[in-house]
Amino acid sequence: MNITVIGRGRVGGGLARMWEKAGHQVRALGREGGDASDADVVVVSVPGHSIGEALQNVTGLNGQVTIDTTNLYAERDGEFPSLSHQIKSVIGGPTAKSFSTVFAATYEQIGTQRVTPSSLYAAEPGAKDITERLISDAGFDPVHVGDLDPGARLLEDSSALTRALAGQIGPFFYRYARPGEL
């Protein structure tokens, strides 16, 4: 799969490395932007408040499947119900929200866990299969929380809880499973 990751930081850079190891063709774009026209999927991994600035320097955004990994640390733009919806308004393709509830600081430790860590995601039907595959290829067990609306907003709103818990125990993994599956 051809993946364009917008953002080379801990999340975007870490995901790019994991997906390259899994055999995908990955191009990571930074502040200077670049061309995403050959991407099968576009992954937006920038701070939530800089979405507009990050996407304005990227050409070739024309309806690709998109995965939003951003987090909300400030006020949300009131025009959109979620950061994912803001991103979708620019790229226009089927959109998912994922990787926003896992810690990039733990990426190197995924394979050493007793059980596969979970990663929550919300997705429109056209983005669901690709998102599940990329979550799995990154080493996580995908857990679907529903469609982008209201799922993206639910994931974004949970970031305060995630940060509070991390303040107590540090970066962590989590696992959602039915009884008897652990």
Side-chain angles (χ1 to χ4, degrees), residues 103 161-172:
F103 291 89
L161 173 63
T162 302
R163 287 191 305 274
L165 185 53
Q168 299 298 313
I169 65 172
F172 59 88

Side-chain angles (χ1 to χ4, degrees), residues 37-133:
S37 59
D38 66 343
D40 299 313
V41 62
V42 173
V43 179
V44 180
S45 294
V46 299
H49 66 274
S50 64
I51 290 169
E53 178 184 342
L55 296 180
Q56 75 181 0
N57 293 325
V58 179
T59 60
L61 296 173
N62 54 8
Q64 295 99 326
V65 170
T66 304
I67 300 174
D68 164 27
T69 73
T70 64
N71 274 310
L72 184 66
Y73 293 107
E75 289 294 315
R76 179 182 282 109
D77 180 336
E79 184 180 346
F80 303 100
S82 73
L83 298 173
S84 299
H85 288 85
Q86 181 181 353
I87 291 167
K88 181 179 175 72
S89 76
V90 175
I91 300 175
T95 303
K97 176 82 168 186
S98 185
F99 300 105
S100 62
T101 61
V102 296
F103 291 89
T106 63
Y107 287 173
E108 298 296 322
Q109 301 167 39
I110 295 169
T112 65
Q113 302 309 300
R114 182 179 57 82
V115 296
T116 304
S118 296
S119 180
L120 301 172
Y121 78 100
E124 295 178 312
K128 188 173 187 258
D129 291 344
I130 287 175
T131 303
E132 282 185 359
R133 177 175 176 195

